[in-house]
Amino acid sequence: MRRLSEERTKLVFERISKFIGSNLRLLLDRPDGQYCFREQKDRIYYIPESVMKLAENIAPQNLICAGTCIGKFTKNGKFHLHITALNYLAPYAQHKIWIKPSAEQQFLYGHNVLKSGLGRITDNTERYQNVVVYSMNDIPLGFGVAARSTAECKHVDPLAIVCLHQADIGEYVRAEDTLI
């Protein structure tokens, strides 16, 4: 596993900061130790530095992965977050959407969130803002992009899309072979 280049570090941090904003430093300097991001085969891993030091003793061709894969770089050089990053993004998310129990299953099957399925939304959420999607029981279900601002959501048609789907925890079942 190797360090990210300056350019790739910038892309990863920009993408993550769209969800958690200035809380990005809390991901690296956690109370349980220092964490870092490492790259292997265009996949980015979030790993404790103590585990990273142990992983350096293993030959690169023998190491499948170490840490949690949070995303990957596409062939075009763009960074895409995987659903495996949800557990690290959710506690620090600045903008959140809660969906009703009747809409949870549809979201977990990969569909967008409609106004009729919207339970709550954080104040001052702008249009096209990255959001973390929660159930009404505060369980993180995935993440997406707000299709409407908080003010627009109050006056929109019940069948209008309020959140565009990006990833959900149902991907663990649907795409389990491609997540690692």
Side-chain angles (χ1 to χ4, degrees), residues 76-131:
N76 293 336
K78 294 182 180 178
F79 180 68
H80 288 277
L81 281 172
H82 283 173
I83 189 60
T84 51
L86 180 64
N87 291 337
Y88 301 105
L89 296 178
Y92 306 115
Q94 292 184 329
H95 301 283
K96 304 173 185 178
I97 288 180
W98 289 265
I99 58 176
K100 296 176 182 175
S102 59
E104 286 178 17
Q105 186 174 11
Q106 290 301 312
F107 182 75
L108 294 178
Y109 284 156
H111 299 286
N112 298 327
V113 179
L114 302 177
K115 166 66 165 102
S116 60
L118 181 68
R120 290 185 292 170
I121 185 170
T122 53
D123 291 337
N124 301 326
T125 300
E126 297 294 323
R127 184 178 229 181
Y128 305 123
Q129 178 71 46
N130 288 290
V131 295

Side-chain angles (χ1 to χ4, degrees), residues 128-141:
Y128 305 123
Q129 178 71 46
N130 288 290
V131 295
V132 175
V133 179
Y134 286 86
S135 69
M136 292 303 283
N137 296 329
D138 285 333
I139 299 171
L141 299 176

Side-chain angles (χ1 to χ4, degrees), residues 65-76:
C65 70
T68 303
C69 180
I70 62 158
K72 69 175 184 174
F73 280 98
T74 63
K75 292 181 181 179
N76 293 336

Side-chain angles (χ1 to χ4, degrees), residues 147-165:
R148 310 255 189 233
S149 67
T150 304
E152 292 173 340
C153 286
K154 295 176 183 176
H155 307 293
V156 75
D157 181 52
L159 296 178
I161 296 173
V162 294
C163 179
L164 302 171
H165 177 273

